[in-house]
Amino acid sequence: ANLKLLEDMLLQRGYEVRSFPLGRLAVAAAMKNPPDLILLDINMPEMNGYEVCERLKSTEELSDIPVIFLSALNAIEDKVKGFRSGGVDYISKPFQFEEVRARVETHLKLRRAQQAEHDLLERTLGGVVGTLWELVQLTSPLLALRSRAIRDIVLRITGQMGIRDPRQYELAATLCLVGCIALPDEVFERAYWGQSLSADEARMFHAHPATAARLLSNIPRLEVVAEIIRGQQGIEAETSITEPASQGAHMLHLALE
């Protein structure tokens, strides 16, 4: 009855609402069509609200959706448990609809602001990466050609591994040779053909992953990409990179080989 009452009230105020009596049904529906906000009871059959919230927060596609608990459990420990499981707010039953409406609207506004900020950051990041790639192309067509080949190999590897979001690996592969911009083309070519280099040339070439990593590590959200690039030369380099970047470094090293 409470579920139907709340659904009708929200519909009357112009919200699009889907309601479910079981947590697993709500999670399945959210996976198919992620909502902007979730109102969640605690005492439910099969899975309680805490378990549902933890399931949502552990699912990458749903982890950013704000969850407001709405429950007759009023003890402080119940509310604390709700926040610890990932909730952003807690409304006690019996609820006043105006309070529900106010909190729903507040968290929807926050959600929209976060999405706008995320979109701006994505556009900025895309512009930075695009500029670096243009620099590679303008500086050395040979470098750009090799970078494309490495990227294609890494994308094939991620496809074979079934990685759903290979973006950071693709970025690392695309920009893995950006540190070679300062190298003369003939030095770069001899190095990648395994031909002999002078001591100074070898030192410059082997330094290019660290140079690229230093450049990229100062760009927000490219820290892991920088670590992957730093580990591209194999086992010795990988000893100093972080765990999240290790798999990407292995892929990149394999592609380079």
Short mmCIF file of all heavy atoms in Angstrom, two decimals, residues 179-241:
data_model
loop_
_atom_site.label_atom_id
_atom_site.label_comp_id
_atom_site.label_asym_id
_atom_site.label_seq_id
_atom_site.Cartn_x
_atom_site.Cartn_y
_atom_site.Cartn_z
N GLY A 179 56.39 9.90 -25.75
CA GLY A 179 57.70 10.29 -25.22
C GLY A 179 58.80 10.23 -26.26
O GLY A 179 59.92 10.69 -26.02
N CYS A 180 58.49 9.66 -27.43
CA CYS A 180 59.49 9.56 -28.50
C CYS A 180 59.49 10.78 -29.42
O CYS A 180 60.26 10.81 -30.40
CB CYS A 180 59.24 8.31 -29.35
SG CYS A 180 59.50 6.75 -28.49
N ILE A 181 58.64 11.74 -29.14
CA ILE A 181 58.52 12.90 -30.02
C ILE A 181 59.85 13.60 -30.23
O ILE A 181 60.17 14.06 -31.33
CB ILE A 181 57.47 13.89 -29.45
CG1 ILE A 181 56.05 13.32 -29.64
CG2 ILE A 181 57.57 15.25 -30.13
CD1 ILE A 181 54.97 14.16 -29.03
N ALA A 182 60.65 13.66 -29.18
CA ALA A 182 61.93 14.37 -29.27
C ALA A 182 63.01 13.55 -29.98
O ALA A 182 64.09 14.08 -30.28
CB ALA A 182 62.41 14.77 -27.87
N LEU A 183 62.76 12.27 -30.23
CA LEU A 183 63.77 11.42 -30.87
C LEU A 183 63.80 11.65 -32.38
O LEU A 183 62.75 11.77 -33.01
CB LEU A 183 63.48 9.95 -30.60
CG LEU A 183 63.61 9.44 -29.16
CD1 LEU A 183 63.17 7.99 -29.10
CD2 LEU A 183 65.04 9.59 -28.66
N PRO A 184 64.96 11.66 -33.00
CA PRO A 184 65.02 11.67 -34.47
C PRO A 184 64.37 10.41 -35.02
O PRO A 184 64.47 9.33 -34.42
CB PRO A 184 66.53 11.69 -34.76
CG PRO A 184 67.17 12.19 -33.50
CD PRO A 184 66.30 11.71 -32.38
N ASP A 185 63.73 10.51 -36.19
CA ASP A 185 63.03 9.37 -36.77
C ASP A 185 63.94 8.17 -36.97
O ASP A 185 63.55 7.02 -36.73
CB ASP A 185 62.41 9.76 -38.13
CG ASP A 185 61.05 10.43 -37.95
OD1 ASP A 185 60.57 10.48 -36.81
OD2 ASP A 185 60.50 10.90 -38.97
N GLU A 186 65.19 8.44 -37.38
CA GLU A 186 66.08 7.31 -37.66
C GLU A 186 66.46 6.56 -36.38
O GLU A 186 66.61 5.33 -36.40
CB GLU A 186 67.34 7.78 -38.40
CG GLU A 186 68.22 8.75 -37.64
CD GLU A 186 67.82 10.21 -37.85
OE1 GLU A 186 66.69 10.44 -38.37
OE2 GLU A 186 68.62 11.09 -37.51
N VAL A 187 66.57 7.29 -35.26
CA VAL A 187 66.87 6.64 -33.99
C VAL A 187 65.68 5.79 -33.55
O VAL A 187 65.83 4.64 -33.11
CB VAL A 187 67.22 7.69 -32.91
CG1 VAL A 187 67.36 7.02 -31.53
CG2 VAL A 187 68.49 8.42 -33.28
N PHE A 188 64.50 6.37 -33.66
CA PHE A 188 63.29 5.63 -33.29
C PHE A 188 63.15 4.36 -34.12
O PHE A 188 62.87 3.27 -33.60
CB PHE A 188 62.07 6.54 -33.48
CG PHE A 188 60.75 5.83 -33.33
CD1 PHE A 188 60.29 5.43 -32.09
CD2 PHE A 188 59.97 5.55 -34.45
CE1 PHE A 188 59.08 4.78 -31.95
CE2 PHE A 188 58.75 4.90 -34.32
CZ PHE A 188 58.31 4.51 -33.08
N GLU A 189 63.37 4.48 -35.44
CA GLU A 189 63.21 3.33 -36.33
C GLU A 189 64.24 2.25 -36.02
O GLU A 189 63.92 1.06 -35.94
CB GLU A 189 63.32 3.79 -37.78
CG GLU A 189 63.07 2.67 -38.80
CD GLU A 189 61.63 2.16 -38.79
OE1 GLU A 189 60.78 2.74 -38.09
OE2 GLU A 189 61.38 1.16 -39.48
N ARG A 190 65.49 2.63 -35.82
CA ARG A 190 66.53 1.64 -35.52
C ARG A 190 66.24 0.93 -34.19
O ARG A 190 66.43 -0.29 -34.06
CB ARG A 190 67.92 2.30 -35.46
CG ARG A 190 68.45 2.77 -36.81
CD ARG A 190 69.97 2.79 -36.84
NE ARG A 190 70.56 3.45 -35.70
CZ ARG A 190 70.77 4.76 -35.61
NH1 ARG A 190 70.42 5.55 -36.62
NH2 ARG A 190 71.33 5.29 -34.54
N ALA A 191 65.76 1.69 -33.22
CA ALA A 191 65.45 1.11 -31.91
C ALA A 191 64.35 0.07 -32.03
O ALA A 191 64.44 -1.02 -31.44
CB ALA A 191 65.04 2.21 -30.93
N TYR A 192 63.31 0.36 -32.80
CA TYR A 192 62.21 -0.59 -32.91
C TYR A 192 62.48 -1.75 -33.85
O TYR A 192 61.78 -2.76 -33.81
CB TYR A 192 60.91 0.14 -33.30
CG TYR A 192 60.12 0.49 -32.05
CD1 TYR A 192 60.32 1.70 -31.40
CD2 TYR A 192 59.25 -0.43 -31.50
CE1 TYR A 192 59.64 1.99 -30.24
CE2 TYR A 192 58.56 -0.14 -30.34
CZ TYR A 192 58.76 1.07 -29.71
OH TYR A 192 58.10 1.35 -28.55
N TRP A 193 63.53 -1.61 -34.68
CA TRP A 193 63.96 -2.76 -35.48
C TRP A 193 65.01 -3.57 -34.74
O TRP A 193 65.51 -4.57 -35.26
CB TRP A 193 64.52 -2.29 -36.83
CG TRP A 193 63.47 -1.98 -37.84
CD1 TRP A 193 63.10 -0.76 -38.32
CD2 TRP A 193 62.64 -2.92 -38.51
NE1 TRP A 193 62.09 -0.87 -39.23
CE2 TRP A 193 61.78 -2.20 -39.37
CE3 TRP A 193 62.52 -4.32 -38.46
CZ2 TRP A 193 60.83 -2.82 -40.18
CZ3 TRP A 193 61.57 -4.92 -39.27
CH2 TRP A 193 60.74 -4.19 -40.11
N GLY A 194 65.38 -3.13 -33.52
CA GLY A 194 66.38 -3.85 -32.75
C GLY A 194 67.79 -3.67 -33.26
O GLY A 194 68.68 -4.49 -32.99
N GLN A 195 68.02 -2.60 -34.02
CA GLN A 195 69.34 -2.35 -34.55
C GLN A 195 70.20 -1.62 -33.52
O GLN A 195 69.70 -1.11 -32.52
CB GLN A 195 69.24 -1.53 -35.85
CG GLN A 195 68.51 -2.29 -36.96
CD GLN A 195 68.26 -1.42 -38.18
OE1 GLN A 195 68.56 -0.23 -38.18
NE2 GLN A 195 67.70 -2.03 -39.23
N SER A 196 71.50 -1.55 -33.77
CA SER A 196 72.42 -1.00 -32.77
C SER A 196 72.23 0.50 -32.63
O SER A 196 71.98 1.22 -33.60
CB SER A 196 73.86 -1.30 -33.17
OG SER A 196 74.15 -0.72 -34.43
N LEU A 197 72.35 0.96 -31.37
CA LEU A 197 72.28 2.38 -31.04
C LEU A 197 73.52 2.76 -30.25
O LEU A 197 74.12 1.92 -29.57
CB LEU A 197 71.03 2.66 -30.18
CG LEU A 197 69.66 2.37 -30.78
CD1 LEU A 197 68.59 2.54 -29.69
CD2 LEU A 197 69.35 3.27 -31.96
N SER A 198 73.88 4.02 -30.33
CA SER A 198 74.96 4.50 -29.48
C SER A 198 74.46 4.52 -28.03
O SER A 198 73.26 4.40 -27.77
CB SER A 198 75.39 5.90 -29.90
OG SER A 198 74.37 6.84 -29.58
N ALA A 199 75.36 4.67 -27.10
CA ALA A 199 74.98 4.68 -25.68
C ALA A 199 74.00 5.80 -25.39
O ALA A 199 73.00 5.61 -24.68
CB ALA A 199 76.23 4.82 -24.81
N ASP A 200 74.24 6.99 -25.96
CA ASP A 200 73.33 8.13 -25.74
C ASP A 200 71.97 7.88 -26.38
O ASP A 200 70.92 8.20 -25.80
CB ASP A 200 73.94 9.41 -26.30
CG ASP A 200 75.06 9.95 -25.42
OD1 ASP A 200 75.13 9.54 -24.23
OD2 ASP A 200 75.85 10.78 -25.92
N GLU A 201 71.97 7.31 -27.58
CA GLU A 201 70.70 7.03 -28.27
C GLU A 201 69.90 5.99 -27.49
O GLU A 201 68.68 6.12 -27.33
CB GLU A 201 70.99 6.54 -29.69
CG GLU A 201 71.49 7.63 -30.61
CD GLU A 201 71.93 7.07 -31.95
OE1 GLU A 201 72.20 5.84 -32.05
OE2 GLU A 201 72.00 7.85 -32.92
N ALA A 202 70.56 4.94 -27.01
CA ALA A 202 69.87 3.90 -26.24
C ALA A 202 69.28 4.48 -24.96
O ALA A 202 68.15 4.15 -24.57
CB ALA A 202 70.84 2.77 -25.92
N ARG A 203 70.06 5.34 -24.31
CA ARG A 203 69.57 5.96 -23.07
C ARG A 203 68.33 6.81 -23.35
O ARG A 203 67.34 6.75 -22.62
CB ARG A 203 70.67 6.83 -22.46
CG ARG A 203 70.25 7.57 -21.20
CD ARG A 203 71.38 8.44 -20.67
NE ARG A 203 71.92 9.31 -21.69
CZ ARG A 203 71.33 10.45 -22.10
NH1 ARG A 203 70.18 10.83 -21.56
NH2 ARG A 203 71.89 11.20 -23.03
N MET A 204 68.35 7.61 -24.43
CA MET A 204 67.20 8.44 -24.78
C MET A 204 65.98 7.59 -25.10
O MET A 204 64.86 7.89 -24.66
CB MET A 204 67.54 9.35 -25.97
CG MET A 204 68.45 10.52 -25.65
SD MET A 204 68.54 11.69 -27.02
CE MET A 204 69.23 10.66 -28.33
N PHE A 205 66.21 6.52 -25.86
CA PHE A 205 65.07 5.69 -26.26
C PHE A 205 64.43 5.00 -25.06
O PHE A 205 63.21 4.98 -24.91
CB PHE A 205 65.50 4.65 -27.30
CG PHE A 205 64.38 3.72 -27.66
CD1 PHE A 205 63.35 4.15 -28.48
CD2 PHE A 205 64.34 2.43 -27.15
CE1 PHE A 205 62.29 3.30 -28.79
CE2 PHE A 205 63.30 1.58 -27.47
CZ PHE A 205 62.26 2.02 -28.30
N HIS A 206 65.24 4.42 -24.20
CA HIS A 206 64.70 3.68 -23.06
C HIS A 206 64.05 4.60 -22.02
O HIS A 206 63.31 4.13 -21.16
CB HIS A 206 65.80 2.84 -22.41
CG HIS A 206 66.21 1.66 -23.24
ND1 HIS A 206 65.33 0.63 -23.57
CD2 HIS A 206 67.39 1.35 -23.84
CE1 HIS A 206 65.96 -0.25 -24.32
NE2 HIS A 206 67.20 0.16 -24.50
N ALA A 207 64.32 5.90 -22.15
CA ALA A 207 63.71 6.86 -21.22
C ALA A 207 62.33 7.32 -21.68
O ALA A 207 61.61 7.98 -20.92
CB ALA A 207 64.62 8.07 -21.05
N HIS A 208 61.93 6.98 -22.93
CA HIS A 208 60.69 7.57 -23.45
C HIS A 208 59.43 7.17 -22.67
O HIS A 208 58.52 8.00 -22.50
CB HIS A 208 60.55 7.29 -24.95
CG HIS A 208 59.99 5.95 -25.31
ND1 HIS A 208 58.64 5.68 -25.28
CD2 HIS A 208 60.58 4.82 -25.75
CE1 HIS A 208 58.42 4.44 -25.67
NE2 HIS A 208 59.60 3.89 -25.96
N PRO A 209 59.29 5.93 -22.13
CA PRO A 209 58.09 5.63 -21.35
C PRO A 209 57.97 6.50 -20.09
O PRO A 209 56.88 6.98 -19.75
CB PRO A 209 58.24 4.15 -20.99
CG PRO A 209 59.15 3.59 -22.03
CD PRO A 209 60.11 4.70 -22.31
N ALA A 210 59.09 6.70 -19.40
CA ALA A 210 59.06 7.53 -18.20
C ALA A 210 58.74 8.98 -18.55
O ALA A 210 58.03 9.67 -17.81
CB ALA A 210 60.41 7.45 -17.48
N THR A 211 59.25 9.45 -19.70
CA THR A 211 58.95 10.82 -20.14
C THR A 211 57.47 10.98 -20.39
O THR A 211 56.85 11.97 -19.96
CB THR A 211 59.75 11.14 -21.42
OG1 THR A 211 61.14 10.99 -21.16
CG2 THR A 211 59.45 12.54 -21.90
N ALA A 212 56.87 10.03 -21.11
CA ALA A 212 55.44 10.09 -21.39
C ALA A 212 54.62 10.00 -20.11
O ALA A 212 53.62 10.71 -19.94
CB ALA A 212 55.05 8.96 -22.35
N ALA A 213 55.04 9.12 -19.20
CA ALA A 213 54.31 8.95 -17.94
C ALA A 213 54.31 10.23 -17.12
O ALA A 213 53.30 10.61 -16.53
CB ALA A 213 54.91 7.80 -17.13
N ARG A 214 55.46 10.91 -17.08
CA ARG A 214 55.53 12.18 -16.35
C ARG A 214 54.59 13.22 -16.95
O ARG A 214 53.91 13.96 -16.24
CB ARG A 214 56.96 12.72 -16.35
CG ARG A 214 57.89 12.05 -15.35
CD ARG A 214 59.14 12.88 -15.13
NE ARG A 214 59.86 13.13 -16.36
CZ ARG A 214 60.78 12.32 -16.88
NH1 ARG A 214 61.07 11.19 -16.26
NH2 ARG A 214 61.40 12.63 -18.01
N LEU A 215 54.53 13.26 -18.26
CA LEU A 215 53.65 14.20 -18.95
C LEU A 215 52.18 13.93 -18.65
O LEU A 215 51.42 14.82 -18.30
CB LEU A 215 53.91 14.12 -20.46
CG LEU A 215 52.99 14.94 -21.37
CD1 LEU A 215 53.21 16.43 -21.14
CD2 LEU A 215 53.24 14.59 -22.84
N LEU A 216 51.79 12.66 -18.73
CA LEU A 216 50.38 12.30 -18.60
C LEU A 216 49.91 12.26 -17.15
O LEU A 216 48.72 12.45 -16.87
CB LEU A 216 50.12 10.95 -19.25
CG LEU A 216 50.37 10.89 -20.77
CD1 LEU A 216 50.21 9.47 -21.28
CD2 LEU A 216 49.44 11.82 -21.51
N SER A 217 50.81 11.99 -16.21
CA SER A 217 50.40 11.86 -14.81
C SER A 217 49.90 13.17 -14.23
O SER A 217 49.23 13.18 -13.20
CB SER A 217 51.56 11.33 -13.97
OG SER A 217 52.65 12.24 -13.99
N ASN A 218 50.19 14.29 -14.89
CA ASN A 218 49.70 15.59 -14.42
C ASN A 218 48.32 15.93 -14.95
O ASN A 218 47.76 16.96 -14.60
CB ASN A 218 50.68 16.70 -14.85
CG ASN A 218 52.02 16.59 -14.15
OD1 ASN A 218 52.08 16.27 -12.97
ND2 ASN A 218 53.11 16.81 -14.88
N ILE A 219 47.77 15.05 -15.79
CA ILE A 219 46.44 15.28 -16.36
C ILE A 219 45.42 14.46 -15.57
O ILE A 219 45.57 13.23 -15.46
CB ILE A 219 46.40 14.86 -17.85
CG1 ILE A 219 47.44 15.65 -18.64
CG2 ILE A 219 45.01 15.09 -18.43
CD1 ILE A 219 47.60 15.20 -20.08
N PRO A 220 44.40 15.09 -14.97
CA PRO A 220 43.41 14.35 -14.18
C PRO A 220 42.79 13.20 -14.96
O PRO A 220 42.50 13.34 -16.15
CB PRO A 220 42.36 15.42 -13.84
CG PRO A 220 43.10 16.72 -13.90
CD PRO A 220 44.12 16.55 -14.99
N ARG A 221 42.65 12.05 -14.29
CA ARG A 221 42.02 10.84 -14.82
C ARG A 221 42.90 10.08 -15.81
O ARG A 221 42.46 9.10 -16.40
CB ARG A 221 40.65 11.14 -15.44
CG ARG A 221 39.66 11.72 -14.43
CD ARG A 221 38.31 11.89 -15.01
NE ARG A 221 37.73 10.60 -15.37
CZ ARG A 221 36.66 10.46 -16.15
NH1 ARG A 221 36.06 11.51 -16.65
NH2 ARG A 221 36.18 9.26 -16.42
N LEU A 222 44.14 10.52 -15.98
CA LEU A 222 45.06 9.76 -16.83
C LEU A 222 46.18 9.13 -16.02
O LEU A 222 47.18 8.67 -16.58
CB LEU A 222 45.65 10.66 -17.92
CG LEU A 222 44.72 11.06 -19.07
CD1 LEU A 222 45.49 11.84 -20.13
CD2 LEU A 222 44.03 9.85 -19.70
N GLU A 223 46.00 9.09 -14.69
CA GLU A 223 47.06 8.56 -13.84
C GLU A 223 47.34 7.09 -14.13
O GLU A 223 48.51 6.67 -14.23
CB GLU A 223 46.70 8.73 -12.36
CG GLU A 223 46.60 10.17 -11.89
CD GLU A 223 45.23 10.79 -12.11
OE1 GLU A 223 44.36 10.12 -12.73
OE2 GLU A 223 45.02 11.93 -11.66
N VAL A 224 46.27 6.27 -14.28
CA VAL A 224 46.46 4.85 -14.57
C VAL A 224 47.05 4.66 -15.97
O VAL A 224 47.92 3.81 -16.19
CB VAL A 224 45.13 4.08 -14.43
CG1 VAL A 224 45.30 2.63 -14.89
CG2 VAL A 224 44.67 4.09 -12.98
N VAL A 225 46.59 5.47 -16.92
CA VAL A 225 47.14 5.41 -18.28
C VAL A 225 48.64 5.69 -18.25
O VAL A 225 49.43 5.00 -18.92
CB VAL A 225 46.41 6.43 -19.19
CG1 VAL A 225 47.12 6.57 -20.53
CG2 VAL A 225 44.96 6.02 -19.40
N ALA A 226 49.05 6.69 -17.46
CA ALA A 226 50.47 7.01 -17.33
C ALA A 226 51.26 5.83 -16.76
O ALA A 226 52.36 5.52 -17.23
CB ALA A 226 50.65 8.24 -16.45
N GLU A 227 50.67 5.16 -15.76
CA GLU A 227 51.34 4.00 -15.16
C GLU A 227 51.47 2.86 -16.15
O GLU A 227 52.49 2.17 -16.20
CB GLU A 227 50.55 3.54 -13.93
CG GLU A 227 50.67 4.46 -12.73
CD GLU A 227 52.04 4.35 -12.09
OE1 GLU A 227 52.31 3.33 -11.44
OE2 GLU A 227 52.84 5.28 -12.28
N ILE A 228 50.43 2.64 -16.95
CA ILE A 228 50.50 1.58 -17.98
C ILE A 228 51.64 1.86 -18.94
O ILE A 228 52.43 0.97 -19.28
CB ILE A 228 49.16 1.49 -18.73
CG1 ILE A 228 48.05 0.96 -17.81
CG2 ILE A 228 49.30 0.60 -19.97
CD1 ILE A 228 46.67 1.02 -18.43
N ILE A 229 51.74 3.10 -19.38
CA ILE A 229 52.79 3.48 -20.33
C ILE A 229 54.16 3.33 -19.70
O ILE A 229 55.11 2.86 -20.34
CB ILE A 229 52.55 4.93 -20.82
CG1 ILE A 229 51.32 4.96 -21.73
CG2 ILE A 229 53.77 5.47 -21.55
CD1 ILE A 229 50.88 6.35 -22.15
N ARG A 230 54.28 3.68 -18.42
CA ARG A 230 55.57 3.57 -17.75
C ARG A 230 56.05 2.11 -17.68
O ARG A 230 57.25 1.84 -17.68
CB ARG A 230 55.48 4.15 -16.34
CG ARG A 230 56.82 4.21 -15.63
CD ARG A 230 56.84 5.36 -14.63
NE ARG A 230 55.85 5.19 -13.57
CZ ARG A 230 56.09 4.55 -12.43
NH1 ARG A 230 57.26 3.98 -12.23
NH2 ARG A 230 55.16 4.46 -11.51
N GLY A 231 55.08 1.16 -17.65
CA GLY A 231 55.46 -0.25 -17.54
C GLY A 231 55.55 -0.98 -18.85
O GLY A 231 55.65 -2.22 -18.88
N GLN A 232 55.54 -0.27 -19.98
CA GLN A 232 55.44 -0.92 -21.29
C GLN A 232 56.67 -1.72 -21.69
O GLN A 232 56.59 -2.57 -22.57
CB GLN A 232 55.14 0.12 -22.38
CG GLN A 232 56.26 1.10 -22.63
CD GLN A 232 55.92 2.12 -23.70
OE1 GLN A 232 55.97 1.80 -24.88
NE2 GLN A 232 55.54 3.31 -23.30
N GLN A 233 57.83 -1.47 -21.06
CA GLN A 233 59.04 -2.14 -21.52
C GLN A 233 59.27 -3.50 -20.88
O GLN A 233 60.28 -4.14 -21.13
CB GLN A 233 60.25 -1.22 -21.30
CG GLN A 233 60.25 -0.05 -22.26
CD GLN A 233 61.45 0.86 -22.09
OE1 GLN A 233 62.11 0.86 -21.05
NE2 GLN A 233 61.75 1.65 -23.11
N GLY A 234 58.32 -3.94 -20.04
CA GLY A 234 58.43 -5.31 -19.55
C GLY A 234 58.61 -5.43 -18.06
O GLY A 234 58.35 -4.51 -17.29
N ILE A 235 59.08 -6.59 -17.64
CA ILE A 235 59.10 -6.99 -16.24
C ILE A 235 59.87 -6.01 -15.36
O ILE A 235 59.42 -5.63 -14.29
CB ILE A 235 59.70 -8.40 -16.09
CG1 ILE A 235 58.80 -9.41 -16.79
CG2 ILE A 235 59.86 -8.77 -14.63
CD1 ILE A 235 59.37 -10.81 -16.86
N GLU A 236 61.02 -5.57 -15.80
CA GLU A 236 61.82 -4.67 -14.97
C GLU A 236 61.08 -3.38 -14.68
O GLU A 236 61.08 -2.87 -13.57
CB GLU A 236 63.16 -4.37 -15.65
CG GLU A 236 64.09 -5.58 -15.71
CD GLU A 236 65.42 -5.22 -16.35
OE1 GLU A 236 65.61 -4.03 -16.66
OE2 GLU A 236 66.24 -6.13 -16.53
N ALA A 237 60.42 -2.82 -15.72
CA ALA A 237 59.69 -1.57 -15.53
C ALA A 237 58.45 -1.79 -14.68
O ALA A 237 58.03 -0.93 -13.92
CB ALA A 237 59.29 -0.99 -16.89
N GLU A 238 57.83 -2.99 -14.82
CA GLU A 238 56.57 -3.24 -14.13
C GLU A 238 56.71 -3.35 -12.62
O GLU A 238 55.74 -3.24 -11.89
CB GLU A 238 55.94 -4.53 -14.67
CG GLU A 238 55.37 -4.37 -16.07
CD GLU A 238 54.82 -5.67 -16.61
OE1 GLU A 238 54.32 -6.47 -15.80
OE2 GLU A 238 54.89 -5.88 -17.82
N THR A 239 57.92 -3.58 -12.14
CA THR A 239 58.08 -3.72 -10.69
C THR A 239 57.74 -2.45 -9.95
O THR A 239 57.46 -2.49 -8.76
CB THR A 239 59.54 -4.12 -10.36
OG1 THR A 239 60.42 -3.12 -10.89
CG2 THR A 239 59.87 -5.48 -10.94
N SER A 240 57.74 -1.31 -10.64
CA SER A 240 57.49 -0.04 -9.97
C SER A 240 56.10 0.52 -10.24
O SER A 240 55.79 1.61 -9.78
CB SER A 240 58.54 0.99 -10.40
OG SER A 240 58.47 1.21 -11.81
N ILE A 241 55.26 -0.19 -10.97
CA ILE A 241 53.94 0.35 -11.27
C ILE A 241 52.90 -0.23 -10.32
O ILE A 241 53.11 -1.26 -9.69
CB ILE A 241 53.52 0.09 -12.75
CG1 ILE A 241 53.25 -1.41 -12.99
CG2 ILE A 241 54.56 0.62 -13.69
CD1 ILE A 241 52.65 -1.67 -14.35
#
